[in-house]
Amino acid sequence: MANGATGIGARVKRKEDKRFITGKGKYTDDVRMENQAYAAFVRSPHAHANIKSIDKSAALAMEGVVDVLDGHQLTGDGIGNIICGWAVTSKDGSPMNMGAWSALATQKVRYVGDAVAVVIADTQQLARLAAEAVEVEYEELPAVVKADKSLAKGAPEIHENAPGNLIYDWEIGDEAKADAGLAAAKHITEMEITNNRLSPNPMEPRSAVATYDEAEEHYTLYTTSQNPHVARLVLSAFYNVAPEHKLRVIAPDVGGGFGAKIYIYPEEITCLWASMKTNRSVKWTADRSEAFITDAHGRDHISTAKMGFDENGKITGFKVDTIANLGAYMSLFSSSVPTYLYATLLSGQYDIQNLHANVRAVYTNTVPVDAYRGAGRPEACYLIERMMETAARELGMKPAELRAKNFIREFPHETPVIMTYDSGDFDANLAQAEEAADVAGFPARKAEAAKRGKLRGLGYSCYIEACGIAPSAAVGGLGAGVGLWESAEVRVNPVGTIEILTGSHSHGQGHETTFAQIVAERFDLPIDNVSIVHGDTDKVQFGMGTYGSRSGAVGMSAIVKAMDKVEAKVRKIAAHQLEASEDDIVIEGGEVKVAGTDKALGWHEIGLAAYTAHNLPPEMEPGLKESAFYDPSNFTFPAGTYICEVEVDPETGRTEVVQFTASDDFGTIINPMIVEGQVHGGLAQGIGQAMMEQVIYDDDGQLITGSYMDYTMPRAADLPFYSVHHASTTCPGNPLGMKGCGEAGAIGSPPAVINAITDAIGNNNLSMPATPQNVWNALQAVTASQAAE
Ligand code: MCN
């Protein structure tokens, strides 16, 4: 049914924004429990050390300190180690080397910030003061922070069961074919590419409030989670904190996550356990400094790559060797990021028959690394799109021409790295972006900039990514420890309003609006009659949560399935009550009608009929509420072309992004305004990665970029007005035809920026982030080589 004003395709303003912009959101730190105490963690100041002793006496003597708990007590109570839930097998058939990670370290600390003990006290200030008073004696060990150095002979060994710090040595594709393809090439482009380590920086830091009810032997955890049901499952099944039916996890309003709030961290585990130990509600909220040293970081790859081309510019072979830094411990999905979310996307938008990638994942004495917006796909896109632009320069071809020569044009297309692209029109996105960016007018703009003493450059990125992460059987076969379906329940109330209970979790993506839009469209109801319930394991039957831009393609599809069931029942009730054939029932104008007559029932009448059950068809169950689980048959494959135009000041290296154009294919678009907002946010993060963000450790493993004085986040003034466009193909894999949009901007934009800057300065040797200093150094190298000639 059409519902033009608020249905599919309408730019409906976000329903949730009223409470967010008036300060009425309810976040975890807003939760105040009776008898609440506060946790403060005693953290390692060393990157690598043995714990010799812990002296709690001074802290325990402070008035208002409830207890000081350590790792021996935690493990003594049977709390299990933190695990990585995705098993990756090395190419020699051996399992990955997962080192033990206790929520509170017992013998050894492995990164600055590793938790050693927790203080529970009456106030937050007191807890923090008392944590300072806990004396831990350490025996310092040498540390290693860089992925390649960690693999080097003689590097300090971080986990006993991971010799040489190697977690796995994994491959995908056919190496012999890739070698043969390169051997047959007329031209080979070869590059070393690093992908800088990032900190996720959601606006709301992580937080937990745990309560133990002794009489019921029941736990409640309020937490900043993107997936409360997964948290409950993991906390009960793996960490043994509480049985699943005795644990309620609530993720109320959550102020952004970007991946960092998928995982179950030491702090939540410890707060739950401490609430039982102390019989107090226990609250912990990270401050920004703590977030920098505890939130899982992202990216951090070092790669070498070779791409071969024939005389026509067609790719003959592609070989990639990557070392991925996973930090000190394996976080929940860490193993899957540099393997199944990265190397499987290395075919990009191109028809590459001969492809091989090798990935070694390593431990270092740094914060654990896991999925951060894009997770693996930005690393793949950056690598391919830097290679393509570089190859075009080396071959003397236009970057767009080289790409178009290699585009995939027939779907479904199976790549040699196990992905089956289902749909797309890469030419359409490229053409749309080139037109919107006025590529034809670039030479004139460059000449005009030159008159002002500025260097202007243009860079492309043609990205593809796999999101809508599922299907369960496929990910299970690849090592995932969970299924990746989604569930939903549609409840029509007796008064005809509708509640949608979903296992997806909204923490900035506008689900309360878009999810309501598809219901308003289907049942032709005012959007205000529909409300969305999420984020509470006691309310929503089950769910796998929000990451991998899956809530549209998977979460909303589950709602569609449940709506199918509701509609079937509504038709039966209406046909019975209106004495008509089910085939003649239509749903429109907020009513359920007999086509071609004036016989109609309002939704409130249908609802009332279902719940009073006075006059239902024989054998029909009373009530009107249906649930569904949805497991798609494939990922979705958003794709597009991004074109970045920059102006560099050669005096200072300062670079301005003067124009950024995006043409995306997100399939059916439910709410263009929300989708544009998602693209804007992703672009800000991608441009941030390309130009300013970088986590830096010194050689001893001390975090240098531990505050916003040293870790540069992009601000509004650093970013241009984006020019965002859509050229869509329908996704055949889900009932709405949607592809995910939540990560695309962060995936596609970094190579476009670096390609533009390197074009401007005439030096291809530039790594992210392109800070003024890095750009200036690259410019000096150009001047030096010109002087030498
Ligand atoms: N949508 C749409 N039409 C489409 C695709 C999506 O209208 N064709 C809508 C959806 O209905 C939803 C929103 O766009 O309201 C994003 O949908 P989707 O792409 O499915 O992504 P998710 O909802 O699963 O969100 C996850 C994604 C990820 S993985 C990260 S990381 C990320 C992102 O979303 N983190 C975010 N966007 C974020 N935005 C904010 N504000 N905060 C974060 O932490």
Side-chain angles (χ1 to χ4, degrees):
M1 295 298 126
N3 186 332
T6 57
I8 293 177
R11 304 178 81 88
V12 181
K13 283 195 181 156
R14 299 198 336 172
K15 291 171 71 157
E16 48 269 72
D17 280 352
K18 185 172 176 189
R19 70 176 190 280
F20 292 155
I21 61 180
T22 56
K24 299 280 167 36
K26 191 173 184 198
Y27 297 87
T28 300
D29 193 58
D30 294 327
V31 174
R32 304 250 181 286
M33 305 302 284
E34 245 179 70
N35 202 21
Q36 178 176 288
Y38 293 80
F41 287 83
V42 180
R43 299 189 181 279
S44 169
H46 305 296
H48 200 191
N50 288 319
I51 302 169
K52 305 283 283 179
S53 64
I54 302 175
D55 183 355
K56 308 174 184 174
S57 53
L60 282 170
M62 291 166 76
E63 200 177 326
V65 169
V66 179
D67 209 343
V68 181
L69 302 166
D70 63 36
H72 292 289
Q73 291 167 286
L74 180 111
T75 50
D77 279 355
I79 304 298
N81 282 331
I82 299 172
I83 50 130
C84 171
W86 196 302
V88 168
T89 305
S90 282
K91 57 191 180 192
D92 66 3
S94 58
M96 61 189 190
N97 298 323
M98 181 156 55
W101 185 9
S102 171
L104 297 175
T106 49
Q107 274 138 22
K108 211 179 172 194
V109 286
R110 295 180 173 86
Y111 68 99
V112 171
D114 210 350
V116 175
V118 65
V119 173
I120 312 296
D122 285 340
T123 67
Q124 187 184 50
Q125 197 186 15
L126 185 60
R128 288 180 176 183
L129 273 175
E132 297 280 320
V134 175
E135 291 205 14
V136 185
E137 193 190 336
Y138 295 99
E139 176 196 19
E140 269 190 76
L141 299 168
V144 61
V145 300
K146 290 259 187 308
D148 49 355
K149 290 197 173 148
S150 170
L151 280 180
K153 239 188 159 144
E157 202 153 273
I158 297 167
H159 289 275
E160 266 173 22
N161 64 337
N165 297 320
L166 185 70
I167 298 171
Y168 53 72
D169 183 356
W170 174 92
E171 66 176 347
I172 195 165
D174 188 326
E175 187 165 20
K177 280 179 75 181
D179 283 335
L182 287 170
K186 277 269 170 314
H187 174 84
I188 293 181
T189 291
E190 195 168 350
M191 290 181 84
E192 273 184 33
I193 292 181
T194 55
N195 206 287
N196 40 333
R197 180 185 269 246
L198 302 176
S199 171
N201 288 302
M203 202 179 289
E204 179 204 18
R206 286 189 301 114
S207 179
V209 182
T211 302
Y212 177 63
D213 180 333
E214 200 178 7
E216 301 284 344
E217 296 176 353
H218 182 278
Y219 293 80
T220 302
L221 175 68
Y222 283 85
T223 185
T224 46
S225 173
Q226 299 178 213
N227 32 233
H229 290 89
V230 176
R232 182 174 73 155
L233 175 68
V234 172
L235 283 161
S236 58
F238 296 101
Y239 306 154
N240 204 21
V241 174
E244 202 171 356
H245 65 299
K246 295 281 188 183
L247 173 60
R248 177 181 185 187
V249 179
I250 303 166
D253 285 331
V254 173
F258 309 113
K261 292 173 181 169
I262 300 173
Y263 327 114
I264 295 87
Y265 289 85
E267 291 82 9
E268 294 98 77
I269 299 169
T270 305
C271 285
L272 275 168
W273 168 71
S275 73
M276 181 273 293
K277 281 300 248 196
T278 61
N279 215 359
R280 297 280 294 267
S281 282
V282 174
K283 176 186 273 191
W284 168 81
T285 301
D287 58 22
R288 192 55 67 182
S289 306
E290 213 171 5
F292 271 112
I293 54 165
T294 64
D295 289 2
H297 290 168
R299 320 279 193 256
D300 207 345
H301 283 195
I302 303 172
S303 300
T304 54
K306 281 186 193 173
M307 195 182 261
F309 296 86
D310 69 13
E311 58 282 3
N312 299 315
K314 296 275 280 181
I315 299 166
T316 57
F318 187 23
K319 235 181 135 175
V320 180
D321 184 16
T322 294
I323 310 174
N325 188 343
L326 293 193
Y329 300 103
M330 292 189 74
S331 172
L332 193 61
F333 289 122
S334 56
S335 57
S336 66
V337 177
T339 50
Y340 296 107
L341 294 175
Y342 161 70
T344 55
L345 271 306
L346 282 170
S347 193
Q349 296 191 357
Y350 313 112
D351 183 6
I352 306 177
Q353 293 303 316
N354 309 314
L355 208 175
H356 179 262
N358 197 94
V359 179
R360 284 168 292 168
V362 301
Y363 285 117
T364 59
N365 294 112
T366 61
V367 172
V369 177
D370 208 321
Y372 164 65
R373 201 171 195 170
R377 292 148 288 161
E379 295 91 313
C381 176
Y382 185 68
L383 190 133
I384 309 158
E385 291 306 294
R386 285 289 290 127
M387 294 290 288
M388 290 305 276
E389 198 95 356
T390 304
R393 287 172 193 166
E394 289 174 356
L395 292 165
M397 288 173 76
K398 287 189 171 167
E401 187 193 346
L402 181 67
R403 287 178 167 93
K405 264 188 192 293
N406 289 283
F407 274 166
I408 293 161
R409 293 193 172 85
E410 275 173 34
F411 298 91
H413 173 94
E414 201 171 325
T415 72
V417 280
I418 70 164
M419 284 292 173
T420 304
Y421 299 165
D422 57 6
S423 59
D425 184 346
F426 306 146
D427 292 288
N429 291 116
L430 177 60
Q432 188 181 51
E434 285 202 302
E435 195 186 331
D438 184 23
V439 171
F442 174 71
R445 294 195 294 277
K446 189 176 170 73
E448 185 279 326
K451 282 189 198 145
R452 288 183 282 111
K454 297 284 164 62
L455 305 169
R456 210 162 168 114
L458 193 77
Y460 285 72
S461 164
C462 295
Y463 78 91
I464 186 161
E465 63 127 334
C467 65
I469 299 215
S472 301
V475 296
L478 300 178
V482 289
L484 288 176
W485 38 263
E486 196 44 87
S487 91
E489 189 177 315
V490 175
R491 282 188 198 163
V492 182
N493 296 319
V495 292
T497 54
I498 297 184
E499 282 160 296
I500 304 292
L501 289 81
T502 169
S504 300
H505 186 273
S506 191
H507 38 278
Q509 296 90 347
H511 294 176
E512 289 173 41
T513 308
T514 49
F515 286 23
Q517 280 181 258
I518 61 166
V519 182
E521 167 94 12
R522 175 76 175 261
F523 296 144
D524 210 358
L525 284 169
I527 197 167
D528 288 339
N529 287 14
V530 185
S531 63
I532 308 297
V533 178
H534 68 98
D536 185 340
T537 59
D538 265 16
K539 290 184 182 164
V540 178
Q541 55 176 355
F542 216 92
M544 294 312 297
T546 290
Y547 38 83
S549 302
R550 67 193 303 274
S551 309
V554 192
M556 290 167 100
S557 297
I559 298 172
V560 170
K561 263 190 86 178
M563 287 197 295
D564 290 343
K565 295 184 190 175
V566 166
E567 181 173 334
K569 193 164 180 182
V570 165
R571 286 177 175 280
K572 283 195 169 62
I573 296 171
H576 178 76
Q577 296 235 332
L578 299 172
E579 295 173 342
S581 155
E582 257 182 69
D583 296 338
D584 293 334
I585 300 295
V586 289
I587 300 177
E588 62 185 19
E591 289 182 324
V592 185
K593 298 177 176 170
V594 182
T597 72
D598 60 357
K599 291 208 269 180
L601 292 171
W603 275 86
H604 59 290
E605 290 166 302
I606 293 279
L608 203 62
Y611 288 96
T612 54
H614 293 163
N615 182 20
L616 290 178
E619 312 293 325
M620 180 181 271
E621 277 180 28
L624 193 48
K625 120 178 148 57
E626 299 287 347
S627 65
F629 283 72
Y630 178 76
D631 202 350
S633 54
N634 197 353
F635 295 91
T636 73
F637 297 94
T641 293
Y642 290 169
I643 299 177
C644 177
E645 196 164 322
V646 297
E647 221 172 76
V648 178
D649 179 353
E651 298 291 318
T652 61
R654 194 178 171 276
T655 303
E656 190 186 344
V657 176
V658 287
Q659 184 176 288
F660 199 103
T661 309
S663 168
D664 296 289
D665 175 357
F666 297 136
T668 309
I669 291 178
I670 307 302
N671 185 327
M673 188 185 67
I674 284 180
V675 168
E676 282 158 22
Q678 286 293 311
V679 174
H680 287 193
L683 292 178
Q685 281 174 305
I687 295 171
Q689 162 160 36
M691 298 185 63
M692 45 198 94
E693 294 185 48
Q694 183 171 26
V695 170
I696 301 173
Y697 282 94
D698 72 9
D699 289 343
D700 296 328
Q702 294 295 333
L703 184 65
I704 304 291
T705 50
S707 83
Y708 288 143
M709 294 297 285
D710 302 295
Y711 187 92
T712 319
M713 292 285 285
R715 290 140 296 187
D718 298 317
L719 301 164
F721 279 94
Y722 307 114
S723 168
V724 175
H725 309 267
H726 305 291
S728 295
T729 58
T730 305
C731 175
N734 61 70
L736 292 163
M738 295 172 71
K739 306 181 188 187
C741 70
E743 294 160 289
I747 292 168
S749 56
V753 176
I754 299 298
N755 288 337
I757 301 175
T758 51
D759 178 50
I761 64 177
N763 182 355
N764 200 39
N765 190 14
L766 178 72
S767 298
M768 298 191 287
T771 58
Q773 185 184 15
N774 288 344
V775 173
W776 190 82
N777 283 336
L779 274 164
Q780 297 314 105
V782 178
T783 317
S785 76
Q786 280 165 352
E789 273 164 17

